[in-house]
Amino acid sequence: MVDMDVVRVSKRLSKVLRHRPETIGITPDANGWVDIDALLVALAEHGLSLTRQDLDEVVSKNDKKRYTIDESGTRIRAAQGHSIEVRLEYPATRPPAVLYHGTPRRNIGSILEHGLDRAGRHAVHLSADLETASRVGARRGEFVVFVIDAAAMARDGFPFHRSDNGVWLTERVPAAYLTVR
Ligand code: HQG
């Protein structure tokens, strides 16, 4: 597959596995998994014909490793980023002392006042390194990076989870644990 198609297919997968599975008539299970054979049939019925090999290529070439195929090789899900209700069931994991979150500059005031909330996704997404957080922020233009005192949050009992693709997830970040970098 050419790179452009890999990106195009990935965007479609993101839509159906994270946000709108009903657009191709599939229903992920409670943990977000979808049977791969059924997914390929549903995609083909909705205008995207793909072989299993194509799918494996999209998954392995994906720049952020957005999709996970289970150990049996029969099911796929998005590693994070869902807006559909999902239980990802990553184990609670002790975070690094500091985590980062990049966001458009216009959000500063609101975030300093209210903290970070999930905003429609199933969790707040945090990055272990500044570069990744900057890239996330830069998607929407001028941005700032918040530094999160994850050690203090963990100490205060906030659970953290690390997704299969290395994104740190937590339910919310109260303003007290945030500073602008
Ligand atoms: C903001 C992409 C005002 C928050 C990225 C963010 C990431 C607030 C936006 C992944 C707020 C939600 C997730 C508050 C949060 N006031 N704004 N109180 N609390 N926000 O896209 O973290 O390519 O749902 O700062 O690379 O930007 O899709 O989250 O700007 O990894 O795989 O509300 O999505 O990955 O936006 O991005 P998003 P995000 P993919």
Side-chain angles (χ1 to χ4, degrees):
M1 241 195 278
V2 296
D3 286 354
M4 203 180 75
D5 286 339
V6 169
V7 171
R8 187 173 58 88
V9 173
S10 171
K11 286 192 184 227
R12 188 78 185 273
L13 284 180
S14 177
K15 179 177 172 186
V16 302
L17 295 177
R18 288 171 163 178
H19 308 299
R20 308 279 315 274
E22 74 281 5
T23 57
I24 60 164
I26 57 166
T27 308
D29 76 9
N31 307 117
W33 295 106
V34 170
D35 179 80
I36 290 176
D37 292 337
L39 173 68
L40 295 177
V41 169
L43 285 171
E45 282 171 352
H46 292 81
L48 182 61
S49 286
L50 213 59
T51 64
R52 172 63 198 253
Q53 204 183 343
D54 293 333
L55 182 75
D56 288 343
E57 186 180 338
V58 170
V59 170
S60 67
K61 280 191 177 166
N62 191 260
D63 57 345
K64 291 188 183 172
K65 301 276 172 238
R66 287 180 179 87
Y67 310 104
T68 307
I69 292 179
D70 75 358
E71 280 167 17
S72 70
T74 62
R75 299 185 306 165
I76 186 170
R77 75 174 180 182
Q80 38 68 231
H82 302 74
S83 58
I84 56 170
E85 198 186 320
V86 68
R87 288 197 302 274
L88 296 176
E89 297 189 334
Y90 294 120
T93 305
R94 182 214 282 258
V98 163
L99 287 167
Y100 302 95
H101 179 88
T103 188
R105 181 166 280 281
R106 63 174 176 275
N107 292 338
I108 289 187
S110 168
I111 290 174
L112 284 176
E113 187 176 345
H114 303 292
L116 286 168
D117 51 56
R118 300 185 296 145
R121 297 221 196 203
H122 92 287
V124 174
H125 289 59
L126 305 172
S127 310
D129 62 280
L130 197 53
E131 291 68 30
T132 306
S134 303
R135 234 177 293 125
V136 173
R139 286 182 301 155
R140 301 182 180 116
E142 257 205 274
F143 68 97
V144 288
V145 173
F146 281 94
V147 181
I148 290 100
D149 188 347
M153 282 184 70
R155 208 160 45 232
D156 294 345
F158 289 87
F160 286 83
H161 307 269
R162 189 176 181 279
S163 73
D164 281 332
N165 61 338
V167 177
W168 284 91
L169 307 170
T170 196
E171 253 178 55
R172 65 191 180 94
V173 179
Y177 301 99
L178 286 164
T179 46
V180 180
R181 187 173 177 280

